[in-house]
Amino acid sequence: MNKLTSYSIKEIHKSFRDKLLTPTSFIDLCIQRAKQTKELNAFIILTDEIAENHAIESEKRIYIEKKSLPLDGITVAIKDNFCTKNINTTCASNMLKNFVPTYNATVYSRLLDSGACLIGKSNLDEFAMGSGTVDSIFGPTRNPWCSGEDWRISGGSSGGSAVAVATGACVAGIGSDTGGSTRNPAALCGVVGLKPTYGLVSRYGLIPLVNSMDVPGILARNIDDLTMIFNCVAGPDILDSTTLKKQFKPVKIDDNVDLSEIKIGIPSEYYCEGMSEDVLDVWRSVTDLLEKEKCHVRTVSLPHTSVSISVYSILNQCEVASNMARYDGLEYGLRAAEDYSTEELYASTRSEGFNNVVRSRIFAGNYFLLARNYEKYFLKALKLRRLIADDFNKVFNGENSVDLLLTPTTLSEAPLYKDFTSTHNRDQCASQDYCTQPANMAGIPAISIPIRLSKNNMPLSIQLMGPFLSEELLLNVAKKIESLVDFPSLKM
């Protein structure tokens, strides 16, 4: 059973061929693990029967038809803000607690078409508004690397998927990444987390938070598995007008990648107040590792980094206010009993359906969008967002350009739950998303890679960011780092 936290897709498929495992027996092991780790609260719902049916179909393809698919028998968890036909999709909110979609998100459809088996829908912050997976109506998700009363957060908002992958309840997880919501929990739970280039993976069926920044993210225990999942879900989608129309070319991993021709930039602005000594030490050690591999490493500047978190916060709240307007108690979701006037129905439904975090973002967003504030806040934030994106463009394409950027993913190891919840959601996100949200503002790809354990035996990770559509380079360099650090698997 301990192998569940270290099994790769290649090893699982070899076990299928050697008949040491079958898809159905592997599904049973994963479901068993998910139930054993129930106290971590990674899943909102386990889809046992659906997973078993998927596994039976995989067995037919593998053993009878002899035409296996890339992900046959591979277990996945889907964050519960992706629509799944005939399976509750709640966004961890009272507003959608009983919502059952009639269609599948494109990401989920493509996983099914590749043979994957859905083991369950994973926990998240309500409507993905958070960085700890602590604001769910189903309760917080716990970090699997510690136990006892003083437990630590899993990160968020895709904490459920990260915990499910780390514990071996599934091989890979799907999250969403608006300001770091895939990379943050990946970093705190010791798994790999990828935010692809904006438009490379379809958002169709992902319940929107911030349309201009939302990206489906991928979590896995190693780069090879993550790359395989990524190759299955990426590419144009006629159902999503924001996807890139260019045909997707699958990423190939070179186990012997030569780093001597690669230039890595270290942004000086990412060394900021609140960064722990452990994280700083990991950042330095990975820099040293890359230099030993003959990589060209130099300091670069992204001058608008200091305002990025404020700009992100304003734009986030403005788009949230717009997106949340659809939840009015009329068409779907919760409908309050107070219906003696339309205004009362709207107000009561939204008051009962949303938690304080969602309501506060709606209020703030509507304030920024008032006619008297529109130019002062929203338009100014859009102009600054362009300057932030230009910073990245200059670093990647200007004079003395670099190929990739190396930064921390988070400012510290996973905080204690009691410490994290003692601060306001706004402050939590400002701290946790400091290093991650600029990539969403610029639309560029980024990946979090676990490096080693802290003094408290908690995962510490670093982040690589690359220019638009640089996933192949990003994943190959990440693979090299992964092979050099040899991060341990979670022992269950």
Side-chain angles (χ1 to χ4, degrees):
M1 286 290 283
N2 272 336
K3 281 191 174 182
L4 284 176
T5 59
S6 60
Y7 260 143
S8 69
I9 292 176
K10 285 181 182 176
E11 289 169 338
I12 294 164
H13 281 168
K14 186 177 185 304
S15 295
F16 290 166
R17 289 193 300 272
D18 297 343
K19 297 192 177 177
L20 299 172
L21 282 173
T22 64
T24 49
S25 66
F26 181 63
I27 293 293
D28 290 341
L29 288 174
C30 289
I31 291 170
Q32 189 181 337
R33 174 58 56 83
K35 291 177 178 177
Q36 285 173 346
T37 55
K38 190 177 179 181
E39 75 282 354
L40 299 175
N41 203 27
F43 290 96
I44 288 174
I45 181 173
L46 283 174
T47 52
D48 311 35
E49 286 187 21
I50 291 168
E52 293 284 357
N53 290 337
H54 290 166
I56 290 167
E57 290 170 14
S58 289
E59 285 190 2
K60 286 179 183 175
R61 287 190 291 268
I62 294 169
Y63 300 122
I64 299 172
E65 297 169 5
K66 308 290 185 184
K67 292 180 181 177
S68 59
L69 296 171
L71 300 179
D72 261 329
I74 300 304
T75 49
V76 295
I78 305 284
K79 187 176 180 178
D80 203 27
N81 59 345
F82 284 85
C83 289
T84 44
K85 187 176 180 180
N86 299 329
I87 305 169
N88 283 48
T89 299
T90 69
C91 283
S93 173
N94 274 322
M95 185 61 79
L96 293 178
K97 192 174 182 180
N98 299 310
F99 174 59
V100 182
T102 56
Y103 66 98
N104 286 327
T106 295
V107 167
Y108 178 48
S109 292
R110 289 182 177 177
L111 288 171
L112 292 182
D113 291 343
S114 300
C117 306
L118 177 68
I119 195 167
K121 303 293 294 290
S122 57
N123 202 10
L124 66 154
D125 289 293
E126 183 165 332
F127 280 101
M129 296 186 205
S131 55
T133 314
V134 297
D135 291 317
S136 163
I137 61 165
F138 302 100
T141 296
R142 299 185 176 212
N143 196 301
W145 288 85
C146 60
S147 57
E149 289 183 13
D150 280 346
W151 53 276
R152 296 176 184 267
I153 65 164
S154 62
S157 61
S158 308
S161 290
V163 171
V165 172
T167 56
C170 60
V171 178
I174 296 296
S176 59
D177 197 309
T178 306
S181 288
T182 295
R183 289 161 287 155
N184 175 283
L188 300 186
C189 293
V191 296
V192 185
L194 173 70
K195 172 224 168 290
T197 296
Y198 183 84
L200 196 51
V201 180
S202 173
R203 292 187 299 113
Y204 179 74
L206 166 60
I207 294 172
L209 175 64
V210 181
N211 301 64
S212 68
M213 300 184 211
D214 291 343
V215 180
I218 303 165
L219 301 106
R221 288 187 292 272
N222 60 69
I223 298 295
D224 287 331
D225 289 358
L226 187 145
T227 303
M228 198 173 291
I229 301 290
F230 173 64
N231 285 339
C232 289
V233 300
D237 179 19
I238 58 169
L239 299 173
D240 177 6
S241 61
T242 62
T243 52
L244 303 172
K245 303 301 180 279
K246 186 180 177 182
Q247 193 62 37
F248 173 69
K249 184 180 176 183
V251 167
K252 293 180 181 177
I253 296 295
D254 179 2
D255 291 330
N256 301 306
V257 63
D258 179 14
L259 297 184
S260 64
E261 297 297 314
I262 293 169
K263 293 170 284 186
I264 302 283
I266 309 293
S268 56
E269 291 82 4
Y270 279 64
Y271 176 55
C272 62
E273 186 182 346
M275 186 174 291
S276 73
E277 196 57 43
D278 270 344
V279 168
L280 195 55
D281 190 48
V282 163
W283 195 9
R284 288 191 192 113
S285 68
V286 174
T287 303
D288 291 343
L289 271 178
L290 291 171
E291 286 181 328
K292 285 177 185 174
E293 293 294 315
K294 305 292 190 293
C295 204
H296 303 281
V297 181
R298 69 179 185 86
T299 303
V300 298
S301 178
L302 297 166
H304 294 93
T305 300
S306 60
V307 299
S308 185
I309 192 71
S310 299
V311 172
Y312 168 75
S313 180
I314 290 169
L315 296 177
N316 179 303
Q317 289 165 140
C318 290
E319 291 202 42
V320 162
S322 175
N323 277 322
M324 294 297 114
R326 73 193 67 191
Y327 304 107
D328 53 16
L330 296 180
E331 295 177 76
Y332 52 83
L334 179 71
R335 180 169 187 157
E338 289 82 358
D339 58 0
Y340 52 84
S341 76
T342 308
E343 289 78 9
E344 185 61 31
L345 173 64
Y346 289 166
S348 299
T349 296
R350 290 161 73 79
S351 179
E352 291 174 27
F354 296 138
N355 68 5
N356 288 334
V357 172
V358 178
R359 287 200 298 269
S360 69
R361 291 202 193 187
I362 292 170
F363 285 137
N366 282 321
Y367 174 78
F368 294 137
L369 293 170
L370 288 172
R372 67 175 186 269
N373 295 328
Y374 187 81
E375 193 167 334
K376 185 165 59 171
Y377 292 107
F378 183 63
L379 283 186
K380 191 172 283 186
L382 286 177
K383 290 174 183 177
L384 284 166
R385 180 180 182 180
R386 171 56 58 196
L387 292 176
I388 292 162
D390 286 345
D391 285 348
F392 284 103
N393 192 39
K394 286 171 187 172
V395 162
F396 290 131
N397 302 307
E399 193 177 346
N400 296 320
S401 64
V402 295
D403 300 308
L404 299 172
L405 296 172
L406 178 72
T407 76
T409 311
T410 57
L411 302 185
S412 68
E413 65 187 10
L416 290 167
Y417 173 76
K418 62 182 181 182
D419 294 339
F420 186 77
T421 53
S422 67
T423 59
H424 190 274
N425 176 272
R426 180 183 58 250
D427 301 321
Q428 294 166 2
C429 293
S431 170
Q432 294 294 321
D433 296 345
Y434 184 85
C435 296
T436 53
Q437 46 75 29
N440 297 81
M441 303 271 275
I444 59 174
I447 188 168
S448 178
I449 312 145
I451 302 300
R452 68 169 184 236
L453 299 179
S454 70
K455 295 163 190 169
N456 295 317
N457 286 320
M458 297 301 295
L460 296 168
S461 303
I462 58 96
Q463 175 182 232
L464 285 173
M465 292 185 280
F468 204 61
L469 295 174
S470 63
E471 276 80 1
E472 182 147 306
L473 175 63
L474 197 73
L475 289 165
N476 272 286
V477 174
K479 170 73 174 175
K480 186 67 175 179
I481 293 172
E482 179 184 73
S483 67
L484 292 170
V485 299
D486 194 25
F487 184 78
S489 298
L490 178 65
K491 299 292 187 285
M492 296 297 292

